Amino acid sequence: MSVAVESVEGLYPFVLTEDQEALRKEIRQFAAREIAPHVSEWDEKSEFPAAVVKKLGQMGLLGVIFPPEYGGAGMGYVDYVLAIEELSAVDGSVGIIVAAHNSLGTNHIFLAGNEEQKRKYVPKLASGEWLGAWGLTEPGSGSDAGGARTTAVRRGDKWVLNGTKTFITNGSYADTAVVIAVTDKSKGTHGLSAFVVEKGTKGFRPGKKENKLGLRASDTSELIFEDCEIPAENLLGVEGEGFVDSMRVLDGGRISIAALSLGIARGALDAATKYVKERRQFGKAIAEFQGIQWKLADMATELDAARLLTQRAAVLKDSGRTVTRESAMAKLFASEVAVRICNEAVQLFGGYGFIKDYPAEKFYRDVKLCTIGEGTSEIQRMVIARELLKVQPSRG
């Protein structure tokens, strides 16, 4: 049994177990050793860090939230949040690779798949032997999933898929992709179904790789389906319930994007704090100026508040509770706080904040995705309001 100890560096405004503290330190050391020396090169070249991803699989970080009987690490969402934050504080690209693989691509199979499907796919994904992707978004349907045009038509013992998915994390490198397609157009979102498609399947290929503002070492690409035939047993869950299952998947996925936000923001705050202690103007370190101190105080306070919301969602998720509202709140607040923190970090660096030789500009570019991916800030507000109105009816 783990013994509760306080985080030695005071990063977490709650008590971590001894095992969680050890996990945090292990990942931090790994990131410093294996990721930090390559961040600028990967970013500049848009180079996918395949070797590091394999090592993360060996560490159990590609199966954090899955039970040991399926090859997972058997940890919970609190541990998962710690892992994503530590990776993202060094490179958000690595953080989002791990997040999309765990929360989306693998988790949909784990949540909606039958026992045979889980036994077939989850162990390979959890070990890092395979990499997973998840395809919901299309060129003409993002927030409006009901507008999807990718189709799946039943023909005997096969499903035939046609269409294009876009903005798919890990798309070019994934060994499996969970794809949401229209099986009955007349039923709207209740006519969407989920399928698992393996790399190398005839008629399935990655398309255009996106040239992005930030998170450039993560792969974001199209998935293209042209008369792609898959076995009937590759349907995940119940036909017509793919959208419903996707919303369950996103409840957990939004916690991981909140954790991604925390990591990027913390990296920016750490870099800015170090810089203001070293930068001298008017005969003293700029950290001695009250204006600078107040900026740092606001940044640190907002970061801790975001961490508390994120960890609340993680704790509730681990307890088996529905976390639709809590995960949306965490994702909304953490992502928008992170954007503000990274903006202030650039400001604190002054002219050097605009230069690639210094870390602030990359954190600034990377963080914007957090307010967009897995549901924009506007969508999170809609989700939160909808959940509030369910339990707080009008008094009028």
Side-chain angles (χ1 to χ4, degrees), residues 39-93:
V39 168
S40 295
E41 180 184 3
W42 292 341
D43 178 67
E44 196 69 27
K45 295 180 179 179
S46 293
E47 180 180 340
F48 186 81
V52 162
V53 171
K54 283 294 183 186
K55 291 178 181 179
L56 291 170
Q58 293 164 6
M59 293 171 66
L61 296 185
L62 297 186
V64 180
I65 55 177
F66 306 109
E69 56 264 36
Y70 296 103
M75 293 185 276
Y77 272 79
V78 171
D79 309 276
Y80 182 38
V81 164
L82 294 175
I84 297 296
E85 179 178 340
E86 289 301 330
L87 293 171
S88 304
V90 176
D91 191 355
S93 291

Side-chain angles (χ1 to χ4, degrees), residues 98-164:
V98 174
H101 170 89
N102 272 282
S103 301
L104 303 181
T106 307
N107 202 32
H108 197 132
I109 298 172
F110 181 72
L111 287 177
N114 58 38
E115 190 62 22
E116 184 179 350
Q117 290 168 331
K118 289 192 281 190
R119 294 288 177 189
K120 179 178 180 180
Y121 293 111
V122 176
K124 290 182 178 179
L125 291 161
S127 68
E129 179 184 348
W130 282 8
L131 188 66
W134 192 70
L136 177 63
T137 303
E138 298 186 5
S141 66
S143 300
D144 177 20
R149 298 179 66 180
T150 296
T151 59
V153 178
R154 182 71 181 261
R155 292 181 185 165
D157 62 350
K158 305 282 187 183
W159 286 95
V160 181
L161 275 62
N162 281 284
T164 301

